[in-house]
Amino acid sequence: MNRSRIAAAFIVLVLLGSYYFFFEYRVKKKEINEKEERETIFYGVEKNSIVKIVNRNSRGAVEAVKENGSWELKQPAEKPADKGFIEVFLDDIVNARASRVIETDNAGAYGIDPGKRSIALADASGKEYIALPGSLNPAGDSVYTGKAGRDGVFLLERKILDNNEKDFFDFRFKGILDAVEDEISAVKVRLNKKKYDLLKKDGYWSVSGGEYAAASGVKAIIDGMTKSNVRAFLKGGANSTYFPGASKEYIEFTINGKKRTVYFGTHKEEERIIFASEKGADETAKLAYHVYESIPGAVSYTHLTLPTKRIV
């Protein structure tokens, strides 16, 4: 084969490759993108752009708002939000993709009723994105879901309906104190058989200004109050019947320079819980008793070497 034929064959190969890239590849990619856009209920919405959630079901509405980078609940009451739950909730709905899209203008036939169920998201500009969960499919593993402003029904994973069924307790922060270790500079423990002070200076904890405190001991107290996963919140604070007489057991925290006190009340052995409430709060937590039991005594803090600064 002479050089001219080789050159001609090479040119043909290049042209075929170019055709595939500019036509076949790009057309197929466009088709894939169009399919993804058609099947994703909130296509193009970024989770981090959302600053408001209103979840409505048969028990009412829960409203969460992102302020200064932190989620807070506004309705039906103002409480700190469970940030981990909010992140999962948003992930599920923002990334929800249908296994099938049913083109219909009769969403009611699929149990969709905007007045009964909805998941409304909003970004900082005020633009809303509203999903409308309806009935489960016959197999029970997916939920028919509408989208405000669009005909058709998306068949989404059942977890979208399960999330919509969550109530205020699921959305709220389930610790007693909404704080982190870096914000706490002192802890005063005044329990029946455990009485001591923990002080933090230059990033290190010490027991009553003396021995350095083991990080695990401080962590047990702070985690117990901030990550306690309270079982339920009941009406009435530390002056309620859950705290007979003047409560003498408490832990006082200095958080960002302000003192906040958690009181402990009645212990119910049969339920393995103890009642606890922050001073000034209008509710009492049902706290697992092992959280109270795990608060170490002063002797547990003896530490012969300099501990690490942070609790990990």
Side-chain angles (χ1 to χ4, degrees):
M1 184 180 291
N2 59 36
R3 291 183 178 181
S4 60
R5 288 183 178 180
I6 294 174
F10 177 74
I11 291 172
V12 170
L13 182 62
V14 170
L15 289 174
L16 288 173
S18 299
Y19 171 82
Y20 174 80
F21 179 79
F22 286 106
F23 293 95
E24 296 291 334
Y25 173 77
R26 295 180 68 178
V27 167
K28 288 183 178 179
K29 186 175 181 181
K30 182 180 179 182
E31 289 175 350
I32 291 172
N33 289 342
E34 288 176 346
K35 184 174 185 294
E36 183 179 351
E37 182 176 358
R38 186 172 62 254
E39 295 175 350
T40 305
I41 190 165
F42 291 151
Y43 182 78
V45 177
E46 295 291 336
K47 181 182 74 172
N48 291 337
S49 70
I50 301 303
V51 298
K52 183 178 179 181
I53 302 168
V54 179
N55 186 66
R56 184 179 302 278
N57 56 34
S58 60
R59 295 182 299 281
V62 176
E63 179 182 329
V65 176
K66 195 174 187 179
E67 299 176 335
N68 300 317
S70 181
W71 285 98
E72 301 288 335
L73 299 183
K74 298 298 182 181
Q75 295 291 339
E78 293 192 6
K79 298 290 180 182
D82 184 330
K83 299 172 182 61
F85 176 85
I86 294 280
E87 290 298 311
V88 173
F89 184 93
L90 278 177
D91 268 334
D92 287 345
I93 188 61
V94 168
N95 298 312
R97 187 167 176 176
S99 59
R100 182 160 63 101
V101 178
I102 304 167
E103 297 302 335
T104 177
D105 58 1
N106 185 17
Y110 297 89
I112 295 169
D113 184 345
K116 291 184 178 180
R117 292 183 179 279
S118 61
I119 301 173
L121 312 180
D123 60 24
S125 71
K127 185 175 181 179
E128 286 193 318
Y129 311 90
I130 304 175
L132 305 168
S135 302
L136 290 172
N137 68 337
D141 59 1
S142 300
V143 58
Y144 297 112
T145 306
K147 180 181 178 182
R150 182 196 188 286
D151 286 338
V153 173
F154 296 79
L155 190 60
L156 303 179
E157 289 183 80
R158 178 177 177 148
K159 65 183 177 181
I160 299 303
L161 179 62
D162 293 339
N163 287 349
N164 178 245
E165 274 293 297
K166 302 298 185 182
D167 59 20
F168 181 67
F169 179 77
D170 297 294
F171 279 85
R172 70 170 293 175
F173 171 69
K174 298 169 191 66
I176 296 177
L177 292 175
D178 186 16
V180 296
E181 191 267 338
D182 284 347
E183 299 172 332
I184 301 173
S185 58
V187 180
K188 180 187 289 186
V189 178
R190 294 296 182 270
L191 306 182
N192 284 341
K193 297 180 180 180
K194 301 169 184 177
K195 294 180 173 61
Y196 54 88
D197 295 337
L198 292 170
L199 304 173
K200 184 167 66 175
K201 184 177 181 181
D202 298 328
Y204 296 101
W205 288 95
S206 64
V207 182
S208 300
E211 293 287 338
Y212 282 110
S216 59
V218 184
K219 180 179 174 65
I221 298 178
I222 295 176
D223 283 359
M225 297 299 103
T226 62
K227 302 177 183 179
S228 40
N229 202 19
V230 166
R231 295 182 183 178
F233 289 97
L234 310 173
K235 291 183 178 180
N239 58 349
S240 65
T241 56
Y242 305 114
F243 302 83
S247 180
K248 296 180 180 179
E249 288 197 281
Y250 66 88
I251 301 178
E252 179 188 274
F253 297 83
T254 302
I255 303 173
N256 292 327
K258 296 182 179 180
K259 296 186 185 303
R260 295 173 62 179
T261 305
V262 176
Y263 290 99
F264 296 93
T266 303
H267 167 216
K268 298 189 73 173
E269 179 63 35
E270 66 277 13
E271 295 184 49
R272 292 294 295 164
I273 61 102
I274 188 169
F275 295 108
S277 181
E278 183 180 357
K279 181 180 180 180
D282 60 358
E283 59 187 4
T284 292
K286 291 179 71 173
L287 187 67
Y289 192 65
H290 72 81
V291 175
Y292 171 84
E293 286 183 307
S294 66
I295 297 170
V299 69
S300 303
Y301 288 96
T302 303
H303 204 297
L304 301 179
T305 58
L306 194 66
T308 56
K309 282 190 177 184
R310 293 183 178 276
I311 296 175
V312 294

